[in-house]
């Protein structure tokens, strides 16, 4: 009898334990370690945010830190980039328009790391800087973090270094194999704002639906970036028929779309309404360069270079096109873009040459 009672009691106990373990209300819910306290940021070190897990130089995103990449990226002296988005729980961004920045909620952090994999000698990997943009109640705030030589962390750039900017000498191998040395520019606060402003208000640049509407690898899963943001709870929704930029490297895409996508990524942040170069006649956002005069075809420049260099783009002749002249120049008084590079982007110039050579319009 005692044995039966004991067996019955044991059965009841095991059933209770099983029921407790299988109670969905008690399931473990992982918590992101990321901390972005709007009252105390910027933190003195990049690691203080806990955006990354493990060795910080490996840039493995923590839970709820989502990697992304625009279809075409900004050229920055051949630096590679890793980009991430993080948002607090319970909020999400909203779609505004194909060519407009997503309307991000307060507390959003955008992270962008600049690095090289061909530092000489030995083609080593080295991270140079990480830029963090955080949306507070009043506006977007820009923070610059410079990596130490040991690659163990990045320190907040403050004081005179953030007021005037600084340079870091690096030697690296270009995609062509050419080895060059340049003074990589760490931007000042004013330089950040010069490009990241519309109507004198600071803003992100690349996180527009037109730039994110493409496939990207998330671990072993290949997904549309916008769809990933929806699944993550970071984006409310987006339309199906987004007019999108393309990867300018992709030679299967039409030449004009590649060039327009390149200009959108590298030039449009200044050459648009209410931006830094609003007084220039060209308009280079992707949504506007389907019009010849906006991209500069047959358009007389407001500041001609010489008697033989007067049009922004002279169809069929890149040697007589001011846009080609400025992209090919490294003179600070002549080059385009003025900020963000210290060397010429060979592949960008080649793309522009192909595009101009393909044009057949006859100028008046």
């Amino acid at each position: 009898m005692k044995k039966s009672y004991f067996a019955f009691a044991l059965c009841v106990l095991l059933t209770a334990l099983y029921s407790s373990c299988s109670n969905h209300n008690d399931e473990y819910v992982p918590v992101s370690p990321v901390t972005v306290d709007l009252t105390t940021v910027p933190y003195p070190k990049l690691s203080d945010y806990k955006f990354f897990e493990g060795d910080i130089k490996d840039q493995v995103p923590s839970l709820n830190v989502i990697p992304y990449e625009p279809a075409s990226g900004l050229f920055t002296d051949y630096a590679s980039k890793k980009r991430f988005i993080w948002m607090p729980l319970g909020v999400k961004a909203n779609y505004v328009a194909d060519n407009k920045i997503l309307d991000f909620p307060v507390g959003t952090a955008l992270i962008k790391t600049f690095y090289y994999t061909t530092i000489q000698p030995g083609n080593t990997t080295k991270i140079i800087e990480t830029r963090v943009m955080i949306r507070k109640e009043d506006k977007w705030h820009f923070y610059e973090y410079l990596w130490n030589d040991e690659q163990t962390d990045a320190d907040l750039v403050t004081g005179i270094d953030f007021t005037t900017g600084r340079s870091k000498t690096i030697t690296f191998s270009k995609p062509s194999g050419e080895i060059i040395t340049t003074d990589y520019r760490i931007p000042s606060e004013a330089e950040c704002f010069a490009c990241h402003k519309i109507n004198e208000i600071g803003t992100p640049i690349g996180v527009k639906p037109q730039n994110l509407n493409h496939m990207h690898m998330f671990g072993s899963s290949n997904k549309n970036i916008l769809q990933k943001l929806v699944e993550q709870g970071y984006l409310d929704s987006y339309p199906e028929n987004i007019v999108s930029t393309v990867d300018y490297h992709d030679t299967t895409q039409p030449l004009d779309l590649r060039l327009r996508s390149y200009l959108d990524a590298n030039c449009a942040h200044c050459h648009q309404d209410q931006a830094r170069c609003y007084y220039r006649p060209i308009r280079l956002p992707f949504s506007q360069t389907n019009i010849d005069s906006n991209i500069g075809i047959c358009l007389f420049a407001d500041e001609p270079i010489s008697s033989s260099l007067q049009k922004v783009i002279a169809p069929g002749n890149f040697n007589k096109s001011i846009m080609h002249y400025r992209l090919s120049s490294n003179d600070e008084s002549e080059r385009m873009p003025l900020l963000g590079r210290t060397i010429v982007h060979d592949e960008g110039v080649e793309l522009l040459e192909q595009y101009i050579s393909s044009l057949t319009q006859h100028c008046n």
Side-chain angles (χ1 to χ4, degrees):
M1 182 70 177
K2 287 184 178 180
K3 289 183 178 180
S4 295
Y5 178 79
F6 177 77
F8 175 75
L10 181 61
C11 182
V12 170
L13 178 61
L14 291 174
T15 301
L17 288 173
Y18 176 80
S19 298
S20 174
C21 291
S22 61
N23 190 331
H24 291 291
N25 293 329
D26 294 333
E27 283 187 356
Y28 170 71
V29 177
V31 177
S32 174
V34 175
T35 173
V36 179
D37 184 342
L38 299 184
T39 65
T40 57
V41 294
Y43 300 137
K45 292 185 177 296
L46 182 63
S47 59
D48 293 334
Y49 295 92
K50 297 181 173 59
F51 288 136
F52 307 103
E53 62 180 30
D55 194 333
I56 190 172
K57 74 174 185 293
D58 295 333
Q59 299 279 282
V60 177
S62 295
L63 180 66
N64 297 338
V65 177
I66 306 301
Y68 75 95
E69 183 178 8
S72 280
L74 176 71
F75 172 76
T76 313
D77 287 354
Y78 289 102
S80 297
K81 293 152 191 170
K82 292 184 178 180
R83 304 168 177 86
F84 308 89
I85 299 174
W86 177 85
M87 293 186 204
L89 290 174
V91 296
K92 60 182 62 179
N94 292 297
Y95 168 92
V96 178
D98 293 358
N99 61 334
K100 300 296 183 183
I101 296 297
L102 293 173
D103 182 16
F104 288 102
V106 171
T108 298
L110 303 176
I111 308 108
K112 187 175 181 181
T113 292
F114 297 68
Y115 67 102
Y116 289 86
T117 59
T118 59
I119 292 291
Q120 301 302 307
N123 283 331
T124 59
T125 296
K126 186 171 187 178
I127 304 176
I128 307 297
E129 59 168 325
T130 295
R131 303 174 189 176
V132 179
M133 292 185 66
I134 295 177
R135 184 169 186 181
K136 295 189 178 183
E137 290 283 356
D138 59 340
K139 61 181 181 180
W140 284 96
H141 291 254
F142 303 81
Y143 305 121
E144 174 72 42
Y145 289 85
L146 184 62
W147 282 72
N148 58 31
D149 290 336
E150 296 75 27
Q151 302 283 275
T152 56
D153 212 338
D155 297 308
L156 179 68
V157 178
T158 60
I160 190 67
D161 284 338
F162 199 38
T163 302
T164 63
R166 60 184 294 184
S167 296
K168 190 175 184 68
T169 302
I170 58 172
T171 300
F172 68 97
S173 175
K174 293 165 58 176
S176 64
E178 177 188 2
I179 295 177
I180 64 170
T181 297
T182 191
D183 291 326
Y184 180 97
R185 178 69 179 173
I186 309 295
S188 67
E189 184 175 26
E191 289 170 337
C192 289
F193 187 66
C195 293
H196 284 269
K197 69 175 181 179
I198 297 293
N199 196 24
E200 298 303 319
I201 298 174
T203 180
I205 294 175
V207 278
K208 304 170 186 174
Q210 67 174 26
N211 300 331
L212 305 180
N213 188 34
H214 65 98
M215 305 301 284
H216 181 72
M217 291 301 299
F218 297 93
S220 59
S221 178
N222 193 24
K223 290 186 178 181
N224 180 286
I225 295 175
L226 294 172
Q227 182 59 35
K228 174 66 176 179
L229 294 179
V230 169
E231 293 175 2
Q232 179 66 27
Y234 279 5
L235 179 62
D236 184 32
S237 62
Y238 64 96
E240 295 182 358
N241 57 340
I242 294 174
V243 179
S244 304
T245 58
V246 301
D247 181 355
Y248 69 80
H249 300 95
D250 186 356
T251 56
T252 66
Q253 295 289 342
L255 182 58
D256 67 316
L257 292 185
R258 293 171 59 208
L259 191 276
R260 289 172 54 205
S261 297
Y262 179 86
L263 295 179
D264 183 271
N266 288 274
C267 311
H269 47 270
C270 286
H271 289 281
Q272 62 175 304
D273 294 338
Q274 300 181 321
R276 185 168 185 261
C277 298
Y278 71 92
Y279 55 90
R280 301 295 188 190
I282 53 177
R283 291 292 179 268
L284 299 181
F286 183 76
S287 60
Q288 295 180 266
T289 46
N290 57 332
I291 299 173
D292 284 0
S293 58
N294 282 345
I295 202 171
I297 295 173
C298 294
L299 181 69
F300 281 95
D302 49 348
E303 291 184 12
I305 303 297
S306 66
S307 59
S308 61
L309 272 173
Q310 299 188 46
K311 294 183 177 69
V312 177
I313 291 180
N317 194 337
F318 56 79
N319 286 320
K320 290 188 176 182
S321 300
I322 291 179
M323 184 181 289
H324 178 267
Y325 173 83
R326 294 199 183 281
L327 260 67
S328 301
S329 175
N330 213 28
D331 185 329
E332 287 190 27
S333 65
E334 302 284 353
R335 74 186 181 202
M336 187 179 84
L338 171 61
L339 302 174
R341 72 172 178 92
T342 63
I343 57 179
V344 174
H345 185 198
D346 298 336
E347 293 77 10
V349 171
E350 181 182 2
L351 176 61
L352 181 61
E353 290 177 354
Q354 293 174 6
Y355 173 76
I356 293 176
S357 297
S358 73
L359 299 178
T360 58
Q361 293 93 327
H362 296 285
C363 302
N364 295 329

